[in-house]
Amino acid sequence: MGIVIMNNSVSVDGFIADEHDDVGPLHDWYWNGDTPITDVGDEGYDHSGAGTGFKVSRASAAYVGPIWASIGTIVMGRNLFDLVNGWEGRPPAGDHVVVVSHRPKPDGWHPEASYHFVDSVTEAIAKARELAGERTVAVNAGDVGGQILAAGLVDEVAMDVVPVVFGSGKRYFGSIGGQHLLEDPHEVIQGDRVLHLRFKVRR
């Protein structure tokens, strides 16, 4: 069975977006290099207007590429699903998405896409593992990610730290309570305007 990894771009003071869900410069590093993350077309996620898809620094591509290639299922909350409209049924990595929500999938929304709506974080990880098989389950940070970590269901935490201070906003770990220890980072990769950190969760 694959690992469960919680991942997101984050400001140096721990925020994944401001109060209005604006990510500001947190994702700029996805388009500031000349090396594609994947071999497949990802123009649908291009915010640069150039239609070229994700292009990052060589160091970031060497780090992110293998992680994305290993992903079988993404777990996200309903807020993010609504913000990006579920990436129009085409997740940036993996073949399946599990959405934690008390509301069902919108009627008629991309029936061909492997998107599954569940009520709880424990059900989400069970379904995501079933769908992913031996591949990685990637959990988006935020309130849902924090709940999954608090439930002891996250194996690793990966942070793409961007040199910006937000001051306030949506926290990487959501409203998680209590203390949760991580091991020393086993990967520390400096990209262009981003520092990639990866920690195992201490059991």
Side-chain angles (χ1 to χ4, degrees), residues 114-192:
S114 181
Y115 278 57
H116 308 265
F117 286 63
V118 300
D119 287 332
S120 70
V121 295
T122 53
E123 188 180 353
I125 294 302
K127 184 64 176 179
R129 283 190 180 279
E130 173 192 329
L131 293 166
E134 297 300 315
R135 301 178 72 191
T136 297
V137 171
V139 174
N140 285 108
D143 281 327
V144 166
Q147 291 171 39
I148 294 171
L149 177 67
L153 299 172
V154 172
D155 299 307
E156 295 189 16
V157 170
M159 308 177 85
D160 303 314
V161 183
V162 176
V164 60
V165 175
F166 272 29
S168 63
K170 305 294 177 69
R171 296 187 175 279
Y172 182 97
F173 294 103
S175 55
I176 188 173
Q179 184 180 92
H180 303 271
L181 292 177
L182 309 178
E183 300 293 350
D184 290 337
H186 59 277
E187 286 195 74
V188 180
I189 307 292
Q190 182 176 339
D192 183 0

